[in-house]
Short mmCIF file of all heavy atoms in Angstrom, two decimals:
data_model
loop_
_atom_site.label_atom_id
_atom_site.label_comp_id
_atom_site.label_asym_id
_atom_site.label_seq_id
_atom_site.Cartn_x
_atom_site.Cartn_y
_atom_site.Cartn_z
N SER H 71 4.42 -24.40 20.90
CA SER H 71 3.79 -23.56 19.78
C SER H 71 4.68 -22.38 19.52
O SER H 71 4.98 -21.58 20.40
CB SER H 71 2.43 -23.05 20.18
OG SER H 71 1.96 -22.03 19.30
N PRO H 72 5.15 -22.14 18.24
CA PRO H 72 5.98 -20.95 17.95
C PRO H 72 5.11 -19.73 18.07
O PRO H 72 5.59 -18.66 18.41
CB PRO H 72 6.46 -21.25 16.49
CG PRO H 72 5.41 -22.16 15.96
CD PRO H 72 4.99 -23.05 17.14
N LEU H 73 3.76 -19.83 18.00
CA LEU H 73 2.88 -18.67 18.15
C LEU H 73 3.06 -18.16 19.59
O LEU H 73 3.22 -16.90 19.75
CB LEU H 73 1.44 -19.02 17.88
CG LEU H 73 0.96 -19.16 16.42
CD1 LEU H 73 1.57 -20.30 15.71
CD2 LEU H 73 -0.60 -19.26 16.41
N ILE H 74 3.01 -19.01 20.59
CA ILE H 74 3.08 -18.66 21.97
C ILE H 74 4.54 -18.15 22.26
O ILE H 74 4.65 -17.16 22.98
CB ILE H 74 2.70 -19.75 22.88
CG1 ILE H 74 1.38 -20.34 22.59
CG2 ILE H 74 2.78 -19.34 24.32
CD1 ILE H 74 0.26 -19.36 22.58
N LEU H 75 5.45 -18.74 21.73
CA LEU H 75 6.90 -18.33 21.92
C LEU H 75 7.00 -16.88 21.45
O LEU H 75 7.64 -16.02 22.02
CB LEU H 75 7.76 -19.23 21.20
CG LEU H 75 8.25 -20.49 21.91
CD1 LEU H 75 9.18 -21.31 20.98
CD2 LEU H 75 8.96 -20.21 23.19
N ALA H 76 6.44 -16.67 20.22
CA ALA H 76 6.64 -15.30 19.59
C ALA H 76 5.90 -14.25 20.46
O ALA H 76 6.40 -13.15 20.57
CB ALA H 76 6.01 -15.28 18.23
N MET H 77 4.78 -14.60 20.97
CA MET H 77 4.03 -13.61 21.89
C MET H 77 4.82 -13.31 23.16
O MET H 77 4.92 -12.13 23.57
CB MET H 77 2.67 -14.04 22.21
CG MET H 77 1.79 -12.94 22.78
SD MET H 77 0.20 -13.55 23.44
CE MET H 77 0.61 -14.46 24.88
N LEU H 78 5.43 -14.38 23.76
CA LEU H 78 6.26 -14.17 24.90
C LEU H 78 7.45 -13.31 24.58
O LEU H 78 7.78 -12.43 25.39
CB LEU H 78 6.60 -15.57 25.44
CG LEU H 78 5.56 -16.40 26.11
CD1 LEU H 78 5.99 -17.77 26.55
CD2 LEU H 78 4.85 -15.65 27.26
N LEU H 81 6.24 -9.70 24.31
CA LEU H 81 5.88 -9.21 25.67
C LEU H 81 7.22 -8.86 26.39
O LEU H 81 7.24 -7.72 26.99
CB LEU H 81 5.19 -10.29 26.40
CG LEU H 81 3.61 -10.30 26.25
CD1 LEU H 81 3.08 -11.59 26.93
CD2 LEU H 81 2.98 -9.10 26.85
N ILE H 102 -1.12 -7.45 12.95
CA ILE H 102 -2.25 -8.01 13.73
C ILE H 102 -3.47 -8.21 12.89
O ILE H 102 -4.26 -9.13 13.12
CB ILE H 102 -2.45 -7.25 14.97
CG1 ILE H 102 -1.23 -7.29 15.93
CG2 ILE H 102 -3.74 -7.64 15.74
CD1 ILE H 102 -1.34 -6.27 17.01
N LEU H 106 -2.58 -11.49 9.83
CA LEU H 106 -3.46 -12.44 10.40
C LEU H 106 -4.56 -12.95 9.43
O LEU H 106 -4.80 -14.18 9.37
CB LEU H 106 -4.07 -11.97 11.69
CG LEU H 106 -5.10 -12.89 12.34
CD1 LEU H 106 -4.51 -14.18 12.81
CD2 LEU H 106 -5.83 -12.13 13.51
N GLN H 156 -16.03 -8.36 25.63
CA GLN H 156 -14.95 -8.72 24.56
C GLN H 156 -13.99 -9.74 25.06
O GLN H 156 -13.74 -10.71 24.39
CB GLN H 156 -14.16 -7.47 24.22
CG GLN H 156 -15.06 -6.47 23.42
CD GLN H 156 -15.36 -5.25 24.26
OE1 GLN H 156 -15.45 -5.27 25.45
NE2 GLN H 156 -15.42 -4.14 23.45
N LEU H 157 -13.51 -9.64 26.38
CA LEU H 157 -12.59 -10.62 26.88
C LEU H 157 -13.25 -11.95 27.11
O LEU H 157 -12.65 -13.00 26.83
CB LEU H 157 -12.03 -10.09 28.18
CG LEU H 157 -10.97 -10.94 28.87
CD1 LEU H 157 -9.80 -11.39 27.95
CD2 LEU H 157 -10.39 -10.24 30.18
N GLN H 159 -15.68 -13.19 25.17
CA GLN H 159 -15.65 -13.80 23.87
C GLN H 159 -14.34 -14.35 23.48
O GLN H 159 -14.30 -15.52 22.76
CB GLN H 159 -16.23 -12.73 22.95
CG GLN H 159 -17.69 -12.45 23.01
CD GLN H 159 -18.05 -11.32 22.04
OE1 GLN H 159 -17.29 -10.77 21.25
NE2 GLN H 159 -19.32 -10.84 22.17
N LEU H 160 -13.31 -13.74 23.65
CA LEU H 160 -11.95 -14.16 23.39
C LEU H 160 -11.63 -15.47 24.06
O LEU H 160 -11.11 -16.43 23.47
CB LEU H 160 -10.93 -13.07 23.60
CG LEU H 160 -11.05 -11.81 22.74
CD1 LEU H 160 -9.98 -10.80 23.23
CD2 LEU H 160 -10.89 -12.19 21.31
N ILE H 161 -11.88 -15.49 25.38
CA ILE H 161 -11.68 -16.72 26.19
C ILE H 161 -12.48 -17.82 25.71
O ILE H 161 -12.01 -19.08 25.59
CB ILE H 161 -11.85 -16.45 27.63
CG1 ILE H 161 -10.71 -15.47 28.13
CG2 ILE H 161 -11.78 -17.76 28.51
CD1 ILE H 161 -10.91 -15.01 29.69
N ALA H 162 -13.79 -17.47 25.46
CA ALA H 162 -14.70 -18.56 24.97
C ALA H 162 -14.27 -19.09 23.60
O ALA H 162 -14.26 -20.30 23.41
CB ALA H 162 -16.13 -17.97 24.81
N ALA H 163 -13.88 -18.28 22.59
CA ALA H 163 -13.46 -18.85 21.33
C ALA H 163 -12.15 -19.54 21.38
O ALA H 163 -11.98 -20.62 20.83
CB ALA H 163 -13.25 -17.63 20.45
N GLY H 164 -11.13 -19.08 22.26
CA GLY H 164 -9.91 -19.85 22.41
C GLY H 164 -10.09 -21.15 23.09
O GLY H 164 -9.44 -22.08 22.68
N THR H 165 -11.01 -21.26 24.07
CA THR H 165 -11.23 -22.56 24.70
C THR H 165 -12.06 -23.45 23.75
O THR H 165 -11.80 -24.70 23.74
CB THR H 165 -12.02 -22.33 26.03
OG1 THR H 165 -11.22 -21.50 26.87
CG2 THR H 165 -12.30 -23.60 26.72
N CYS H 168 -9.93 -23.13 18.95
CA CYS H 168 -8.58 -23.53 18.59
C CYS H 168 -7.52 -22.56 19.21
O CYS H 168 -6.62 -22.15 18.50
CB CYS H 168 -8.38 -23.72 17.12
SG CYS H 168 -8.78 -22.21 16.19
N GLY H 169 -7.61 -22.30 20.48
CA GLY H 169 -6.55 -21.58 21.20
C GLY H 169 -6.23 -20.26 20.70
O GLY H 169 -7.16 -19.47 20.33
N ALA H 170 -4.97 -20.02 20.53
CA ALA H 170 -4.45 -18.60 20.17
C ALA H 170 -5.00 -18.20 18.84
O ALA H 170 -5.34 -16.99 18.60
CB ALA H 170 -3.02 -18.59 20.19
N SER H 171 -5.01 -19.14 17.87
CA SER H 171 -5.58 -18.73 16.47
C SER H 171 -6.91 -18.27 16.55
O SER H 171 -7.20 -17.27 15.88
CB SER H 171 -5.43 -19.96 15.61
OG SER H 171 -4.07 -20.50 15.55
N ALA H 172 -7.76 -18.95 17.29
CA ALA H 172 -9.17 -18.54 17.36
C ALA H 172 -9.30 -17.19 18.09
O ALA H 172 -10.12 -16.42 17.68
CB ALA H 172 -9.97 -19.64 18.14
N GLY H 173 -8.47 -17.08 19.14
CA GLY H 173 -8.57 -15.78 19.88
C GLY H 173 -8.23 -14.55 18.91
O GLY H 173 -9.04 -13.61 18.91
N ILE H 174 -7.16 -14.64 18.29
CA ILE H 174 -6.77 -13.48 17.39
C ILE H 174 -7.73 -13.39 16.21
O ILE H 174 -7.96 -12.34 15.71
CB ILE H 174 -5.32 -13.56 17.07
CG1 ILE H 174 -4.93 -14.82 16.30
CG2 ILE H 174 -4.37 -13.24 18.21
CD1 ILE H 174 -3.53 -14.91 15.87
N ALA H 175 -8.23 -14.51 15.72
CA ALA H 175 -9.16 -14.43 14.58
C ALA H 175 -10.56 -13.81 15.03
O ALA H 175 -11.09 -12.98 14.33
CB ALA H 175 -9.35 -15.80 13.99
N THR H 176 -10.99 -14.24 16.12
CA THR H 176 -12.19 -13.70 16.75
C THR H 176 -12.13 -12.24 17.02
O THR H 176 -13.20 -11.51 16.87
CB THR H 176 -12.62 -14.45 17.95
OG1 THR H 176 -12.78 -15.87 17.79
CG2 THR H 176 -13.93 -13.95 18.62
N ASN H 177 -10.95 -11.77 17.31
CA ASN H 177 -10.78 -10.33 17.55
C ASN H 177 -10.96 -9.42 16.40
O ASN H 177 -11.22 -8.27 16.59
CB ASN H 177 -9.50 -10.07 18.23
CG ASN H 177 -9.37 -8.72 18.93
OD1 ASN H 177 -10.35 -8.38 19.72
ND2 ASN H 177 -8.41 -7.96 18.64
N ALA H 183 -9.12 -4.78 23.17
CA ALA H 183 -7.87 -4.18 23.38
C ALA H 183 -6.81 -5.39 23.24
O ALA H 183 -7.13 -6.50 23.51
CB ALA H 183 -7.78 -3.56 24.77
N ASP H 184 -5.60 -4.96 22.81
CA ASP H 184 -4.55 -5.91 22.73
C ASP H 184 -4.30 -6.63 24.10
O ASP H 184 -4.02 -7.85 24.03
CB ASP H 184 -3.17 -5.32 22.20
CG ASP H 184 -3.22 -4.86 20.80
OD1 ASP H 184 -4.20 -5.38 20.10
OD2 ASP H 184 -2.55 -4.11 20.36
N GLU H 185 -4.37 -5.99 25.14
CA GLU H 185 -4.23 -6.62 26.40
C GLU H 185 -5.25 -7.73 26.71
O GLU H 185 -4.95 -8.67 27.36
CB GLU H 185 -4.27 -5.61 27.56
CG GLU H 185 -3.08 -4.61 27.63
CD GLU H 185 -2.97 -3.63 26.54
OE1 GLU H 185 -4.05 -3.25 26.01
OE2 GLU H 185 -1.87 -3.13 26.14
N ASP H 186 -6.57 -7.48 26.23
CA ASP H 186 -7.50 -8.52 26.35
C ASP H 186 -7.07 -9.80 25.57
O ASP H 186 -7.34 -10.89 26.04
CB ASP H 186 -8.87 -8.07 25.91
CG ASP H 186 -9.56 -7.10 26.85
OD1 ASP H 186 -9.04 -7.07 28.04
OD2 ASP H 186 -10.56 -6.43 26.55
N VAL H 187 -6.63 -9.60 24.30
CA VAL H 187 -6.31 -10.68 23.53
C VAL H 187 -5.10 -11.42 24.16
O VAL H 187 -5.08 -12.77 24.24
CB VAL H 187 -5.89 -10.20 22.09
CG1 VAL H 187 -5.43 -11.38 21.17
CG2 VAL H 187 -7.03 -9.43 21.48
N ALA H 188 -4.11 -10.68 24.64
CA ALA H 188 -3.01 -11.34 25.32
C ALA H 188 -3.43 -12.08 26.48
O ALA H 188 -2.91 -13.29 26.77
CB ALA H 188 -1.94 -10.33 25.63
N TYR H 189 -4.34 -11.56 27.30
CA TYR H 189 -4.83 -12.28 28.49
C TYR H 189 -5.52 -13.59 28.06
O TYR H 189 -5.33 -14.65 28.65
CB TYR H 189 -5.73 -11.33 29.32
CG TYR H 189 -5.98 -11.73 30.69
CD1 TYR H 189 -5.66 -10.84 31.72
CD2 TYR H 189 -6.41 -13.07 31.11
CE1 TYR H 189 -5.85 -11.23 33.06
CE2 TYR H 189 -6.62 -13.39 32.37
CZ TYR H 189 -6.31 -12.49 33.40
OH TYR H 189 -6.46 -12.87 34.78
N ALA H 190 -6.35 -13.48 27.03
CA ALA H 190 -7.12 -14.65 26.62
C ALA H 190 -6.21 -15.72 26.10
O ALA H 190 -6.35 -16.87 26.46
CB ALA H 190 -8.13 -14.27 25.51
N ILE H 191 -5.17 -15.35 25.44
CA ILE H 191 -4.23 -16.40 24.84
C ILE H 191 -3.43 -16.95 26.02
O ILE H 191 -3.18 -18.17 25.98
CB ILE H 191 -3.30 -15.61 23.83
CG1 ILE H 191 -4.01 -15.38 22.59
CG2 ILE H 191 -2.07 -16.52 23.52
CD1 ILE H 191 -3.29 -14.50 21.61
N ALA H 192 -3.07 -16.13 26.98
CA ALA H 192 -2.35 -16.75 28.21
C ALA H 192 -3.27 -17.75 28.86
O ALA H 192 -2.74 -18.83 29.28
CB ALA H 192 -1.99 -15.59 29.12
N CYS H 193 -4.52 -17.42 29.02
CA CYS H 193 -5.38 -18.35 29.69
C CYS H 193 -5.48 -19.75 28.93
O CYS H 193 -5.37 -20.77 29.54
CB CYS H 193 -6.83 -17.82 29.64
SG CYS H 193 -7.17 -16.62 31.04
N VAL H 194 -5.74 -19.66 27.66
CA VAL H 194 -5.86 -20.96 26.95
C VAL H 194 -4.62 -21.68 26.80
O VAL H 194 -4.58 -22.95 26.73
CB VAL H 194 -6.51 -20.65 25.47
CG1 VAL H 194 -7.89 -20.03 25.61
CG2 VAL H 194 -5.63 -19.84 24.65
N THR H 195 -3.55 -20.93 26.85
CA THR H 195 -2.14 -21.63 26.81
C THR H 195 -1.91 -22.42 28.14
O THR H 195 -1.60 -23.58 28.10
CB THR H 195 -1.02 -20.66 26.59
OG1 THR H 195 -1.20 -19.93 25.39
CG2 THR H 195 0.28 -21.29 26.53
N VAL H 196 -2.25 -21.74 29.21
CA VAL H 196 -2.05 -22.46 30.59
C VAL H 196 -2.86 -23.61 30.68
O VAL H 196 -2.44 -24.75 31.04
CB VAL H 196 -2.39 -21.42 31.71
CG1 VAL H 196 -2.53 -22.16 33.03
CG2 VAL H 196 -1.32 -20.40 31.75
N PHE H 197 -4.20 -23.57 30.35
CA PHE H 197 -5.18 -24.64 30.50
C PHE H 197 -4.95 -25.78 29.45
O PHE H 197 -5.15 -26.90 29.72
CB PHE H 197 -6.50 -24.15 30.60
CG PHE H 197 -6.68 -23.20 31.93
CD1 PHE H 197 -7.03 -21.96 31.71
CD2 PHE H 197 -6.54 -23.79 33.17
CE1 PHE H 197 -7.22 -21.11 32.85
CE2 PHE H 197 -6.74 -22.89 34.26
CZ PHE H 197 -7.04 -21.66 34.04
N GLY H 198 -4.53 -25.34 28.26
CA GLY H 198 -4.19 -26.33 27.31
C GLY H 198 -2.98 -27.17 27.73
O GLY H 198 -2.93 -28.40 27.47
N THR H 199 -2.02 -26.54 28.33
CA THR H 199 -0.90 -27.20 28.81
C THR H 199 -1.18 -28.14 29.97
O THR H 199 -0.72 -29.32 30.00
CB THR H 199 0.28 -26.24 29.31
OG1 THR H 199 0.63 -25.37 28.29
CG2 THR H 199 1.47 -26.91 29.79
N HIS H 228 -7.09 -27.14 23.55
CA HIS H 228 -7.08 -25.81 23.01
C HIS H 228 -6.32 -25.70 21.68
O HIS H 228 -6.89 -25.41 20.60
CB HIS H 228 -6.54 -24.76 23.92
CG HIS H 228 -7.28 -24.76 25.20
ND1 HIS H 228 -7.45 -25.84 26.06
CD2 HIS H 228 -7.99 -23.82 25.89
CE1 HIS H 228 -8.14 -25.50 27.15
NE2 HIS H 228 -8.48 -24.29 27.07
N GLU H 229 -4.98 -25.97 21.66
CA GLU H 229 -4.15 -25.82 20.48
C GLU H 229 -4.10 -27.08 19.80
O GLU H 229 -4.06 -28.15 20.27
CB GLU H 229 -2.75 -25.33 20.97
CG GLU H 229 -2.74 -23.92 21.56
CD GLU H 229 -2.73 -22.79 20.45
OE1 GLU H 229 -2.61 -23.11 19.34
OE2 GLU H 229 -2.76 -21.69 20.84
N GLN H 232 -1.11 -29.03 20.93
CA GLN H 232 -1.33 -29.71 22.20
C GLN H 232 -2.24 -30.87 22.00
O GLN H 232 -2.01 -31.96 22.68
CB GLN H 232 -2.08 -28.67 23.08
CG GLN H 232 -1.22 -27.55 23.55
CD GLN H 232 -2.05 -26.42 24.23
OE1 GLN H 232 -3.29 -26.35 24.11
NE2 GLN H 232 -1.35 -25.54 24.95
N MET H 315 0.90 -16.42 11.13
CA MET H 315 0.29 -16.32 12.47
C MET H 315 1.32 -15.99 13.51
O MET H 315 1.03 -15.26 14.53
CB MET H 315 -0.44 -17.61 12.88
CG MET H 315 -1.81 -17.77 12.19
SD MET H 315 -2.81 -19.06 12.78
CE MET H 315 -4.34 -18.84 11.78
N THR H 316 2.50 -16.54 13.41
CA THR H 316 3.62 -16.26 14.29
C THR H 316 3.96 -14.81 14.39
O THR H 316 4.20 -14.13 15.36
CB THR H 316 4.79 -17.18 14.12
OG1 THR H 316 4.39 -18.55 14.13
CG2 THR H 316 5.94 -16.92 15.17
N ALA H 318 1.92 -12.33 13.56
CA ALA H 318 0.82 -11.65 14.14
C ALA H 318 0.91 -11.65 15.74
O ALA H 318 0.69 -10.76 16.41
CB ALA H 318 -0.51 -12.19 13.65
N LEU H 319 1.25 -12.86 16.18
CA LEU H 319 1.35 -13.04 17.64
C LEU H 319 2.60 -12.28 18.23
O LEU H 319 2.48 -11.69 19.27
CB LEU H 319 1.53 -14.51 18.09
CG LEU H 319 0.11 -15.19 18.48
CD1 LEU H 319 -0.34 -14.68 19.80
CD2 LEU H 319 -0.86 -15.00 17.41
N ALA H 320 3.66 -12.23 17.45
CA ALA H 320 4.82 -11.37 17.90
C ALA H 320 4.47 -9.88 18.02
O ALA H 320 4.71 -9.24 18.99
CB ALA H 320 6.01 -11.65 16.91
N ALA H 321 3.74 -9.46 16.95
CA ALA H 321 3.19 -8.06 17.02
C ALA H 321 2.23 -7.80 18.17
O ALA H 321 2.28 -6.72 18.82
CB ALA H 321 2.52 -7.71 15.73
N MET H 322 1.44 -8.81 18.44
CA MET H 322 0.53 -8.63 19.58
C MET H 322 1.24 -8.50 20.84
O MET H 322 0.92 -7.65 21.75
CB MET H 322 -0.34 -9.92 19.66
CG MET H 322 -1.48 -9.85 20.77
SD MET H 322 -2.81 -8.66 20.31
CE MET H 322 -3.52 -9.50 18.86
N GLY H 323 2.28 -9.35 21.13
CA GLY H 323 3.07 -9.25 22.23
C GLY H 323 3.76 -7.86 22.34
O GLY H 323 3.89 -7.23 23.41
N THR H 326 1.66 -5.14 23.69
CA THR H 326 0.97 -5.38 24.94
C THR H 326 1.76 -4.78 26.14
O THR H 326 2.90 -5.15 26.32
CB THR H 326 0.65 -6.88 25.20
OG1 THR H 326 -0.17 -7.31 24.08
CG2 THR H 326 -0.14 -7.12 26.50
N LEU H 331 -2.32 -5.42 31.42
CA LEU H 331 -2.64 -6.85 31.48
C LEU H 331 -2.90 -7.18 32.91
O LEU H 331 -4.02 -7.80 33.28
CB LEU H 331 -1.57 -7.65 31.01
CG LEU H 331 -1.80 -9.10 30.51
CD1 LEU H 331 -2.76 -9.19 29.43
CD2 LEU H 331 -0.46 -9.82 30.22
N PRO H 338 -10.90 -13.03 34.92
CA PRO H 338 -10.76 -13.70 33.68
C PRO H 338 -10.05 -15.05 33.75
O PRO H 338 -10.36 -16.00 33.03
CB PRO H 338 -10.01 -12.67 32.72
CG PRO H 338 -10.26 -11.37 33.42
CD PRO H 338 -10.27 -11.61 34.91
N LEU H 339 -9.03 -15.06 34.59
CA LEU H 339 -8.28 -16.35 34.83
C LEU H 339 -9.27 -17.48 35.33
O LEU H 339 -9.27 -18.57 34.95
CB LEU H 339 -7.15 -16.22 35.77
CG LEU H 339 -6.26 -17.45 35.98
CD1 LEU H 339 -5.50 -17.77 34.58
CD2 LEU H 339 -5.21 -17.01 37.00
N GLY H 342 -11.42 -18.59 32.60
CA GLY H 342 -10.67 -19.58 31.76
C GLY H 342 -10.59 -20.93 32.30
O GLY H 342 -10.77 -22.02 31.63
#
Side-chain angles (χ1 to χ4, degrees):
S71 169
L73 281 69
I74 305 305
L75 278 176
M77 192 184 76
L78 291 175
L81 275 169
I102 294 167
L106 169 65
Q156 288 112 326
L157 183 49
Q159 288 176 2
L160 295 174
I161 293 174
T165 304
C168 54
S171 303
I174 55 178
T176 301
N177 196 47
D184 289 342
E185 286 73 24
D186 283 348
V187 181
Y189 200 123
I191 291 172
C193 280
V194 299
T195 301
V196 167
F197 296 115
T199 302
H228 304 58
E229 292 278 355
Q232 293 168 341
M315 284 192 172
T316 305
L319 263 292
M322 184 71 66
T326 301
L331 199 62
L339 186 63

